[in-house]
Each structure stands twice: as structure tokens, then as C-alpha cells.
Amino acid sequence: MTKSANTMWGGRFAAGPDAIMEAINASIGFDRRLAPQDIAGSRAHAAMLAATGIISDNDAEAILEGLLTVLSEIETGDFPFSAALEDIHMNVEARLKELIGEPAGRLHTARSRNDQVAVDFRLWVRDQCDAADEALAALQKALLGQAEEGADWVMPGFTHLQTAQPVTWGHHMLAYVEMFGRDRSRFADARKRMNTSPLGAAALAGTSFPIDRDMTAQALGFDRPMSNSLDAVSDRDFALEYLAAASICAMHLSRLAEELVIWSSAQFRFVKMSDKWSTGSSIMPQKRNPDAAELIRAKIGRIFGANVALMTVMKGLPLTYSKDMQEDKEQVFDAADNLMLALAAMTGMVGDMTANKGNLKAAASSGFSTATDLADWLVRELGLPFREAHHITGALVALAEDKGCDLPDLTLEEMQAEHADIRKDVFDVLGVDNSVASRTSFGGTAPDQVRAQIAHWTKQLNARG
Ligand code: ARG
């Protein structure tokens, strides 16, 4: 039996689509998530059509009411979604027609699915910028809690994952607070730029009806209507900017996840994950695996992938709309879902983990972490050029390595064999606490600096979340 043509656009079609055509064409399986935005957009449009006299007040009222009924049917799960009706836009309109009859057919006056989907998706992505901001604020607060607790706990700072210089736990936690702060500002920038309304661009060229684009823009919380109708229906920069911000944020999450994996290992034992955020092994009873951190690290690939996928979809498209653009949604949905999940999991893990002060300090005190302090002392106290100080310190490190001890364990005589003027107060700078306390430059690791940054961030996060 031949399927009948689509009731929305089937006027010139004698038969319905092939089943495979329907499968490749339909987006209702995923764009149903846009239902609340679609209905908000349609309500704004209908109210505007009445206000400008394009449709009657009675018809507008029936449409506005009917759309609320459709929304509640969707929310309660009673909505009969149909793949034959392709997408959310046509599903909603068809159901509206069943509910209110003839006036439903007037809703699409001066509009196209091209500006409709652009509005819906912008509203959805705009919400995701807000959701990411909120989730990032919560993560910053969890990190700040860790920083407050261990503002002056000494740990090794690494370069090349080799012990470099002692730093404080608070300082390390605050490094991530800074990163996630920049992520928030990236989402905020993207949100500001995307907050313009495509509604009224119609199919691509605008419309001959006397519509009021300012009215619909305002009703939907947009700053203004987009100025070029061709651009309005074909722009997906907003989704790409969201994905770019999400990718950078995801990269930060992945770096932190990687650190948590390393730090919770038996070789490091810097942190202990709470039971809530670890799993055991079915065969090795001693195991306590940081699965959540590993999955965050892994899920980040999907977010990067979505960014590349949508860039690739868009890069070859002539103006204006092409059906290719329907592929924007699944990528963004998947990226957003996984970003939100990763942020929530990271916030939970960071909030619940316990740093081991003693292990951090023991690790900081090994690996010749105060070698730079020794070299600096030689420069400051003996007036040596830094290069010469570096050389002497290197010789002392080699000696300690030979003896199987650390720098503070060398004797004064051993030091003086490298430079006769070395005095015993050199030992003051070889301890890790003194080392961190001395790094008082702005942004440095000294506990005083760290506490000042904690105060700054506490104020900031309390003021705007
Ligand atoms: N489902 C479509 C999409 O997501 C809606 C726009 C359809 N427009 C069209 N001219 N076929 O892109």
C-alpha cells in the first residue's frame, strides 16, 4: 500500500516517502527535546500575529490555549509522537490541529520551520549555557572548600610529572578554580552573542506580512532580532560556540580527572576518594578504583567529537538552510548531557575526597624539591651568578642521590666542599615549609598569597554564585 503524503506539505505529493527515507529524514526521535522551546516560540509568534492584526484575537487565543495543552501532554508522556510527521515542529502543529481545528492552520503564517528550528535550538543552547554556569559555580565551591582546608598543606609541584618545587594544596586547588572561572566567562560570552532572535526570518528572505520582530524577540528574552534573514536561518555559530566552550571546559575536567586518577593510586596516595565515588574489583580485594574520574576523562572525547562533527557539517554548506543542519542537534544534546554529567560527578568527587596531608608533605620533601631554593640562597647570600649557583646545586643533588638521601640530609661540610662560603643557615631554606612560605610573589604558592586568593574567590562566588 502506498503511504499517503505528508499532511503538512504534501499538497504536491501523490505518495508518501519510502520507509528508509522516513528513517533518514525524521528527527522526532531526538528533537522532541525541543518541545518546550518550540511551544514557547510558537506562543510568542501567535501573540504577535494577533497584535499585528495578521490573525484574529479569537484564533490566537485558541492557539495559545491549545499549545499549552500540547505542552502538558508532552510533559505527562501522553503525546502521540509520530515519525511520519518528521520533527517536533510538525508533530506539535498536527496535534494542535486535532485539538483546536482550523485556527491551528494559521499559526504558521509568516513563519517557516527554518526560523522556527533556529529559535528553538537557540533557546535550548542558551539554557545550557546557564546550566553549565551553575554547575561550574558548584564545582568551584567544592574546589574552594578543599583549598580552604589545606591552604598551607605542602605538596610537590610538578613539571613533566617530575617533582619540581614544593607548592601548597590550596594553591593547586585554586589553579582549577581559575580555569573553571574562565570557562564560565566563555559560556557567558557565547550566551551574550547568541541572544538574538531569528524568528521572523521565515524561510530565508523575511516575509511580506507586517510582523513585529521586536515583539517576539522580547517575549522570548532575546536582546533583539537578528538583522539579516539569510544569516538568521543558516547560522549555527551559537551551537559551535557552545561546543567550543564546552570542549575547553571538558579539557579542564579531564586534566583534573587525570590528576585524581594519579593521586588516588597506591604509588601516590595523595587523596582518598570517598566510597560514594569509587568502585571495587570483583577479583582483587585491595582495589579501590577511581571509575568516576576515569569516565569523566573518557567522556570528554564525545564533547570534542561533537565540536568537530558540527564544524564538519557546517563547513561545506551554501547559504541558507540545508537539511544537513538537522544533524546539529544530536551532537549538541550528547555533548551537553555528558558535560553536565561530568561536572556533577566531578563536583561530587572533589567535595567528598580527602587529601592526605602527611603523604603530600612526605612526597614534597623528597625528590630534591628545594634544589631551586638552595640555588636562590647561593645567589642571594653569596652573590653568585645564578648559573654558577645552579651548577653547585646540581653537584650537591648528585651527591645526595649517590648517598641515597635528600638535600637537607647532607652535612655542612659536604656542602662546603662544593663552595667554602656556604653557612649553616642554608638549611633554613631546604625545608619545604620555608620554601613555600618564601614564594610570596603575587599569584605565588605562599600560604599568605593562597589565603588572599581564597578570600577573593569566596567573595566572588558568594556574590554571584
Ligand atoms: N527538522 C528540521 C531541522 O532540524 C527542521 C527544519 C526543516 N526545514 C526544512 N526546510 N525542511 O533542521
Side-chain angles (χ1 to χ4, degrees):
M1 195 184 81
T2 333
K3 275 175 104 184
S4 54
N6 186 298
T7 52
M8 294 290 157
W9 44 252
R12 63 180 287 250
F13 286 76
D18 187 274
I20 301 289
M21 174 58 191
E22 188 174 295
I24 195 172
N25 197 34
S27 54
I28 191 61
F30 49 88
D31 70 10
R32 63 177 68 188
R33 290 182 72 167
L34 298 177
Q37 289 76 14
D38 192 67
I39 285 167
S42 288
R43 282 172 54 84
H45 184 65
M48 181 277 291
L49 291 177
T52 50
I54 299 170
I55 65 171
S56 72
D57 287 344
N58 281 349
D59 283 345
E61 245 162 70
I63 291 170
L64 291 174
E65 272 295 300
L67 285 169
L68 286 184
T69 308
V70 173
L71 182 60
S72 75
E73 286 180 355
I74 291 173
E75 281 169 356
T76 54
D78 293 333
F79 189 88
F81 286 110
S82 150
L85 288 165
E86 274 185 47
D87 56 24
I88 186 63
H89 323 296
M90 295 203 288
N91 269 265
V92 168
E93 195 184 318
R95 181 66 185 138
L96 186 66
K97 177 111 190 290
E98 282 171 14
L99 289 168
I100 67 167
E102 194 256 358
R106 300 186 187 278
L107 170 61
H108 214 50
T109 315
R111 187 177 72 169
S112 150
R113 276 187 295 156
N114 297 348
D115 58 341
Q116 191 177 356
V117 74
V119 170
D120 296 3
F121 199 31
R122 249 170 219 265
L123 291 173
W124 197 90
V125 176
R126 190 178 74 182
D127 281 351
Q128 288 304 311
C129 289
D130 295 339
D133 185 69
E134 208 177 298
L136 279 162
L139 176 53
Q140 285 183 302
K141 284 179 183 162
L143 288 159
L144 199 59
Q146 288 287 348
E148 271 167 349
E149 172 136 23
D152 57 0
W153 294 2
V154 182
M155 69 179 282
F158 298 92
T159 59
H160 315 266
L161 197 57
Q162 307 280 321
T163 299
Q165 293 174 350
V167 297
T168 56
W169 173 253
H171 198 209
H172 202 117
M173 292 296 106
L174 284 174
Y176 283 101
V177 173
E178 295 283 339
M179 288 176 239
F180 293 126
R182 288 196 298 276
D183 291 335
R184 291 179 70 185
S185 72
R186 263 182 286 273
F187 282 116
D189 284 348
R191 187 199 197 283
K192 216 175 296 158
R193 223 170 351 263
M194 77 178 64
N195 203 27
T196 54
S197 174
L199 193 55
L204 73 163
T207 174
S208 57
F209 290 98
I211 58 171
D212 182 346
R213 294 192 60 204
D214 289 306
M215 181 181 168
T216 47
Q218 204 185 4
L220 295 166
F222 289 120
D223 295 333
R224 60 185 173 279
M226 293 178 78
S227 317
N228 183 308
S229 62
L230 305 176
D231 178 45
V233 294
S234 53
D235 163 40
R236 291 296 180 273
D237 296 4
F238 67 93
L240 288 166
E241 278 199 64
Y242 168 79
L243 289 175
S247 294
I248 297 176
C249 174
M251 175 272 292
H252 289 149
L253 284 170
S254 187
R255 293 184 78 174
L256 178 52
E258 168 71 2
E259 299 216 275
L260 297 182
V261 170
I262 295 173
W263 290 351
S264 60
S265 69
Q267 287 68 26
F268 272 73
R269 292 184 300 123
F270 284 5
V271 295
K272 187 169 172 205
M273 297 297 180
S274 81
D275 287 355
K276 285 200 271 180
W277 297 102
S278 358
T279 61
S281 155
S282 54
I283 177 170
M284 297 166 282
Q286 86 283 13
K287 286 295 274 287
R288 201 183 161 75
N289 297 327
D291 294 40
E294 295 167 275
L295 285 164
I296 290 170
R297 194 174 56 184
K299 279 182 183 298
I300 272 26
R302 303 162 70 127
I303 298 170
F304 292 180
N307 190 21
V308 173
L310 186 54
M311 288 288 264
T312 312
V313 165
M314 296 305 296
K315 76 169 189 54
L317 297 186
L319 299 189
T320 55
Y321 179 86
S322 295
K323 197 60 174 264
D324 309 49
M325 287 159 75
Q326 177 163 287
E327 286 289 311
D328 56 2
K329 285 172 272 306
E330 276 176 298
Q331 299 295 342
V332 174
F333 290 161
D334 187 71
D337 289 345
N338 282 291
L339 180 69
M340 293 308 290
L341 187 59
L343 282 168
M346 186 58 92
T347 304
M349 259 191 316
V350 168
D352 282 354
M353 74 188 181
T354 319
N356 187 317
K357 188 180 175 186
N359 289 346
L360 289 171
K361 179 143 190 194
S365 308
S366 68
F368 316 108
S369 68
T370 53
T372 317
D373 298 86
L374 172 54
D376 286 350
W377 187 93
L378 295 170
V379 169
R380 207 173 42 243
E381 300 295 326
L382 305 186
L384 300 184
F386 183 77
R387 277 294 149 232
E388 193 184 336
H390 186 286
H391 189 82
I392 294 169
T393 306
L396 289 170
V397 166
L399 176 65
E401 216 163 18
D402 275 353
K403 289 184 61 187
C405 69
D406 229 296
L407 282 175
D409 308 319
L410 294 176
T411 64
L412 184 59
E413 292 67 41
E414 284 167 331
M415 297 231 185
Q416 285 169 342
E418 287 300 329
H419 197 291
D421 297 345
I422 296 180
R423 304 183 306 264
K424 83 167 185 316
D425 57 299
V426 72
F427 286 97
D428 292 346
V429 301
L430 298 183
V432 290
D433 287 306
N434 286 338
S435 168
V436 295
S438 72
R439 298 234 151 69
T440 52
S441 54
F442 176 75
T445 204
D448 284 351
Q449 282 296 326
V450 171
R451 288 201 186 91
Q453 289 300 318
I454 290 174
H456 159 80
W457 276 109
T458 306
K459 213 164 113 202
Q460 183 102 344
L461 289 171
N462 286 342
R464 41 172 227 122

